């Protein structure tokens, strides 16, 4: 359990407000005392009248206080009148008979009010000046603290007071959980391993695609082990000033050692852990200094500190070799995209607290979402709830789920976009060409849906879904993918002539070219360059442009271009043979699309039931 930090000091603005409050209070009290007088209603009369009445015995008492007179008439117990005498002479000199029957009481005037007023004038400005200097000193001290805290770690501490995440809260990723359960056991029972001479692993690197749950698994390790969990992003180490990142690394590891056993989690470690000397660190070596400090800290743990570093990245290929060696990151846990049973479990977790009706089939959605990450599935569940709420439904239906899935996978429908009849016909034949070629070719995925309603940035969509999860892709499958990708452009040429092609196939051609280059460069599937791989490095930035390092000569580059061109021409030829041989099926599907706009898998299969594969379009080994 982490120690509670002391109460933070009051802010300068709060101190200034308190000081001003007390200054105003003191000033008000002094002013009130200075001007406070007994509440008396005295009538003002002339001095000559007072003297005449006193001589006649009509006044029993006169109180003289300075120049002010308070007159008590005969028969009264308190003063009822007031008058002002000449300060240069006495009452006798102004006509009062010394033998008059009147009590004359002379007192010194009170100067308390003047004293208090003078004190107020002096004290209040002093208080305000002191408050101003205190405020300025606090401001300067705050700036100094910020300067001194510039090199402090910004890691967030998740301890016992936070909501725990355990392995049971995370669906799927069973193999990754098994690897991390040993880390939990290390933290819970270190003596069991130390007695056998085993050392606690210093680092575990979590590698996986974005959204696969790397951060959540790290939180689960901390939750299972019930230890403090320091979380920080790799980018928070790097500043514009050299040495700040290294200072923060030292501070982070010092905090973790004080709270040991503990876990340090560095998210997106590739922000500081890139291979040194790559030129990606900018104009100074701040990134390299930070990385060097991480290397030193990880290799310098004292025995028995029980601090484990978890790091997450989706770019393990760019990390420095010194960071990946045993003794620093001893273990590497690959977190893959969820399989079908894992996707079903993840979807059940996300729909656990969402009301659904009897039409919702989680297992069918899991089958259709091959290649989706946990974050994608969470997004689909959330979008389904939004769609249901939009139509004021109390429960989520299967139709809501389907709409949410398609919105996440291929983009939202753009029903408001107005298309001319000519554009609709062109789109219908274009999408029908994709569907026909993909349906006929033996190694292509089945058609899931065809629509001419614009979605995302496309005018229409032909959607192919694999029937099951696969780990490998064959040459035959790649070539069928290329052929069906070119089916739209070929259909345009057949309908409108070779000069009637449009820009509608731009994204198809770009995708086909990328696949063909990947086949040649990365997979060694060329004809002349068979079994050779020419991996291109990501390169670096130079003059605001990304540079790539080619590990092959210009002659090889020319051969690669020729191989790509051969694959594209072959795919276009196969697509053309299929479409020409099944022109009636193409027309039937296009007409149905113009009428219904969207056709599901069953409808496509029925419309293309007579389509056949020409012998010339078959592939031979």
């Amino acid at each position: 359990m982490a120690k509670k930090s002391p109460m933070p000091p009051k802010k300068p603005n709060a101190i200034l407000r308190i000081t001003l409050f007390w200054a105003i209070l003191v000033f008000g009290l002094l002013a009130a005392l200075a001007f406070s007088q007994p509440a008396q209603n005295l009538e003002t009369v002339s001095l000559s009248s007072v003297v005449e009445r006193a001589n006649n015995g009509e006044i029993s008492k006169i109180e003289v206080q300075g120049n002010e007179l308070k007159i008590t008439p005969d028969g009264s117990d308190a003063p009822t009148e007031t008058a002002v005498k000449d300060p240069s002479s006495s009452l006798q000199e102004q006509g009062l008979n010394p033998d008059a029957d009147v009590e004359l009481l002379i007192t010194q005037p009170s100067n308390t009010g003047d004293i208090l007023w003078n004190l107020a004038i002096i004290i209040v400005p002093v208080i305000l000046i002191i408050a101003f200097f205190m405020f300025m000193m606090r401001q300067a001290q705050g700036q100094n603290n910020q300067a001194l805290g510039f090199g402090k770690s910004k890691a967030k501490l998740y301890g016992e007071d936070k909501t725990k995440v355990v392995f049971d809260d995370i669906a799927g990723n069973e193999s990754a959980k098994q690897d991390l359960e040993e880390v939990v056991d290390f933290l819970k029972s270190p003596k069991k391993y130390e007695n056998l001479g085993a050392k606690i692993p210093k680092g575990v690197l979590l590698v996986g695609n974005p959204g696969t749950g790397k951060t959540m698994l790290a939180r689960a390790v901390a939750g299972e082990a019930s230890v403090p969990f320091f979380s920080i992003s790799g980018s928070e180490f790097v500043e514009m000033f050299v040495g700040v990142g290294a200072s923060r690394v030292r501070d982070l590891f010092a905090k973790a050692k004080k709270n040991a056993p503990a876990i340090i989690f560095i998210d997106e470690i590739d922000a500081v852990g890139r291979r040194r000397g790559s030129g990606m660190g900018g104009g100074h070596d701040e990134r390299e200094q930070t990385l060097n400090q991480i290397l030193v800290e990880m290799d310098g743990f004292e025995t028995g500190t029980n601090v484990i570093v978890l790091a997450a990245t989706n770019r393990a290929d760019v990390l420095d070799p010194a960071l990946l060696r045993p003794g620093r990151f001893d273990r590497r846990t690959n977190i893959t995209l969820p399989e079908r049973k894992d996707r079903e479990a993840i979807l059940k977790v996300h729909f656990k607290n969402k009301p659904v009706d009897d039409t919702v089939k989680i297992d069918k959605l899991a089958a259709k979402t091959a290649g989706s990450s946990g974050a994608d599935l969470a997004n689909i569940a959330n979008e389904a709830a939004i769609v249901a709420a939009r139509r004021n439904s109390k429960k989520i239906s299967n139709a809501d789920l389907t709409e949410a899935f398609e919105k996440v996978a291929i983009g939202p429908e753009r029903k408001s976009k107005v298309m001319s009849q000519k554009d609709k016909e062109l789109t219908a034949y274009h999408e029908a060409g994709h569907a026909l070629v993909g349906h006929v070719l033996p190694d292509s995925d089945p058609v899931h849906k065809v629509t001419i309603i614009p979605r995302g940035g496309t005018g229409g969509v032909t959607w192919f879904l694999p029937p099951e999860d696969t780990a490998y892709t064959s040459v035959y499958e790649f070539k069928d993918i290329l052929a069906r990708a070119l089916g739209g452009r070929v259909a345009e040429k057949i309908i409108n002539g070779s000069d009637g092609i449009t820009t509608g196939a731009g994204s198809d051609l770009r995708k086909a070219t990328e696949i063909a280059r990947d086949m040649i460069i990365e997979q060694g599937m060329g004809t002349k360059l068979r079994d050779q791989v020419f991996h291109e490095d990501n390169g670096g930035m130079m003059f605001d442009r990304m540079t790539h390092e080619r590990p092959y000569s210009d002659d090889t580059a020319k051969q690669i271009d020729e191989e790509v061109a051969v694959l594209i021409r072959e795919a276009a030829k196969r697509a053309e043979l299929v479409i020409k041989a099944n022109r009636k099926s193409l027309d039937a599907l296009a007409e149905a699309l113009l009428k219904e706009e969207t056709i599901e898998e069953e409808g496509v299969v029925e419309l293309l039931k007579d389509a056949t594969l020409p012998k010339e379009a078959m592939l031979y080994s």
Side-chain angles (χ1 to χ4, degrees):
M1 187 72 181
K3 296 180 180 178
K4 292 185 177 180
S5 58
M7 291 294 291
K10 294 182 179 179
K11 295 182 179 179
N13 290 339
I15 294 174
L16 182 61
R17 286 197 296 269
I18 293 172
T19 306
L20 287 174
F21 169 78
W22 283 107
I24 294 172
L25 182 62
V26 170
F27 181 81
L29 290 174
L30 293 175
L33 290 173
F35 293 103
S36 62
Q37 295 291 341
Q40 295 177 340
N41 295 322
L42 302 179
E43 182 183 357
T44 303
V45 295
S46 63
L47 179 62
S48 59
S49 173
V50 172
V51 171
E52 181 181 356
R53 290 166 55 199
N55 291 333
N56 295 333
E58 298 177 5
I59 296 176
S60 62
K61 183 179 179 180
I62 298 176
E63 297 179 27
V64 181
Q65 191 176 47
N67 298 324
E68 185 179 359
L69 305 179
K70 291 182 180 179
I71 297 95
T72 303
D74 191 20
S76 178
D77 296 332
T80 60
E81 298 173 342
T82 182
V84 179
K85 75 177 186 67
D86 187 356
S88 61
S89 59
S90 64
L91 288 176
Q92 287 80 3
E93 293 175 347
Q94 295 181 8
L96 180 63
N97 190 347
D99 297 331
D101 187 15
V102 61
E103 181 183 358
L104 190 62
L105 181 63
I106 301 175
T107 61
Q108 293 296 325
S110 176
N111 59 351
T112 304
D114 295 336
I115 294 174
L116 292 176
W117 177 252
N118 292 333
L119 287 175
I121 293 175
I122 296 172
I123 293 175
V124 172
V126 171
I127 293 176
L128 293 177
I129 292 171
I130 293 173
F132 174 75
F133 277 104
M134 287 180 63
F135 173 76
M136 296 300 295
M137 291 175 65
R138 286 279 181 163
Q139 287 285 84
Q141 185 178 2
Q143 296 292 336
N144 189 36
N145 288 338
Q146 290 181 7
L148 293 176
F150 201 63
K152 298 296 183 182
S153 169
K154 297 182 179 180
K156 297 177 181 178
L157 174 61
Y158 298 90
E160 297 290 338
D161 56 330
K162 297 292 182 179
T163 302
K164 284 186 178 181
V165 177
V166 295
F167 287 139
D168 291 339
D169 298 329
I170 303 174
N173 288 318
E174 296 302 326
S175 60
K177 288 183 190 176
Q178 292 176 2
D179 292 341
L180 294 174
E181 280 174 358
E182 291 186 4
V183 176
V184 173
D185 198 26
F186 280 137
L187 292 169
K188 283 185 174 180
S189 308
K191 293 295 182 183
K192 180 173 68 174
Y193 296 92
E194 291 175 2
N195 291 338
L196 294 173
K199 295 182 179 179
I200 296 177
K202 296 176 181 177
V204 179
L205 184 65
L206 306 178
V207 182
N209 292 333
T212 49
K214 299 184 292 295
T215 304
M216 189 64 69
L217 281 171
R219 292 282 302 275
V221 172
E224 292 280 353
S226 299
V227 299
F229 178 76
F230 293 88
S231 176
I232 192 169
S233 170
S235 61
E236 292 184 58
F237 289 119
V238 182
E239 292 283 355
M240 65 180 293
F241 302 108
V242 178
V244 173
S247 175
R248 288 179 178 174
V249 171
R250 288 190 294 269
D251 184 63
L252 172 60
F253 279 86
K255 289 179 180 178
K257 291 175 186 178
K258 289 180 182 179
N259 291 274
I263 293 175
I264 294 175
F265 176 60
I266 305 175
D267 200 6
E268 304 296 345
I269 194 173
D270 50 277
V272 291
R274 283 181 175 269
R275 189 186 302 269
R276 287 170 289 185
S278 62
M280 295 293 290
H284 54 70
D285 59 350
E286 165 66 359
R287 192 188 305 271
E288 291 193 5
Q289 284 199 21
T290 305
L291 173 58
N292 290 338
Q293 190 62 44
I294 293 176
L295 298 177
V296 171
E297 293 289 345
M298 290 190 68
D299 204 22
F301 283 152
E302 298 88 353
T303 304
T305 53
N306 297 347
V307 177
I308 293 179
V309 179
L310 296 181
T313 182
N314 53 7
R315 294 295 311 278
D317 56 310
V318 302
L319 296 180
D320 193 272
L323 194 63
L324 301 177
R325 73 161 176 82
R328 290 195 174 108
F329 282 105
D330 304 282
R331 296 192 174 191
R332 175 169 172 168
T333 300
N334 291 313
I335 303 175
T336 58
L337 292 171
E339 299 177 356
R340 178 172 178 174
K341 61 181 181 61
D342 294 331
R343 293 196 298 272
E344 184 174 351
I346 293 171
L347 286 169
K348 286 181 179 178
V349 169
H350 291 302
F351 279 99
K352 183 178 179 180
N353 298 321
K354 292 181 175 65
V356 297
D357 60 21
D358 297 334
T359 63
V360 172
K361 304 296 181 184
I362 299 295
D363 55 340
K364 289 187 177 180
L365 178 60
K368 294 192 296 185
T369 52
S372 298
S373 66
D376 295 330
L377 299 175
N379 194 21
I380 292 172
N382 185 61
E383 286 291 342
I386 292 174
V387 172
R390 189 185 303 137
R391 62 182 185 86
N392 298 320
S393 175
K394 301 295 183 181
K395 291 185 177 181
I396 300 172
S397 67
N398 197 59
D400 300 328
L401 205 57
T402 301
E403 183 178 345
F405 170 50
E406 293 177 355
K407 180 179 180 181
V408 172
I410 56 179
E413 289 186 353
R414 293 186 294 149
K415 294 183 179 181
S416 59
K417 182 177 180 180
V418 179
M419 296 178 65
S420 65
Q421 186 63 28
K422 182 178 180 181
D423 288 344
K424 280 188 176 181
E425 291 179 0
L426 180 64
T427 303
Y429 273 100
H430 183 101
E431 301 304 331
H434 287 307
L436 175 60
V437 176
H439 175 77
V440 169
L441 295 179
D443 294 298
S444 173
D445 297 327
V447 181
H448 174 66
K449 175 181 285 190
V450 185
T451 179
I452 59 173
I453 298 176
R455 276 187 174 273
T458 63
V461 176
T462 303
W463 197 358
F464 298 88
L465 284 179
E468 58 185 3
D469 294 353
T470 57
Y472 306 104
T473 305
S474 67
V475 175
Y476 299 105
E477 291 170 334
F478 270 128
K479 289 189 174 183
D480 283 1
I481 292 172
L482 289 176
R484 78 189 188 205
L486 295 172
R489 168 58 67 87
V490 173
E492 290 181 17
K493 290 172 61 178
I494 292 175
I495 298 302
N496 299 327
S498 58
D499 294 331
I501 59 176
T502 67
T503 58
S507 60
D508 299 329
L509 301 178
R510 184 164 54 252
K511 185 65 177 177
T513 304
E514 290 175 359
I515 293 173
R517 289 193 65 84
D518 183 73
M519 290 174 64
I520 304 302
I521 293 176
E522 300 290 346
Q523 310 302 332
M525 294 180 175
T527 302
K528 298 178 182 179
L529 302 174
R530 179 64 59 92
D531 301 331
Q532 298 181 59
V533 174
F534 308 95
H535 178 72
E536 293 183 352
D537 185 66
N538 289 324
M541 296 295 297
M542 181 176 291
F543 302 113
D544 296 331
R545 293 185 179 181
M546 183 67 73
T547 61
H548 295 273
E549 181 181 351
R550 295 192 318 183
Y552 47 85
S553 65
D554 290 340
D555 291 339
T556 303
K558 183 178 180 181
Q559 291 186 49
I560 291 173
D561 292 340
E562 291 174 355
E563 293 265 30
V564 171
V566 168
L567 286 174
I568 298 297
R569 285 196 297 268
E570 179 188 273
K573 183 63 177 177
R574 294 180 69 213
E576 184 176 359
L577 291 171
V578 170
I579 292 175
K580 285 183 176 179
N582 300 281
R583 176 62 187 270
K584 291 183 179 180
S585 297
L586 178 72
D587 293 336
L589 181 55
E591 291 174 4
L593 284 171
L594 288 171
K595 183 179 179 181
E596 301 177 21
E597 291 189 334
T598 300
I599 303 177
E600 301 291 340
E601 181 177 356
E602 297 79 5
V604 174
V605 172
E606 178 63 26
L607 289 167
L608 300 181
K609 62 182 179 180
D610 297 329
T612 59
L613 176 64
K615 185 177 180 180
E616 298 84 356
M618 295 178 63
L619 291 174
Y620 301 96
S621 58

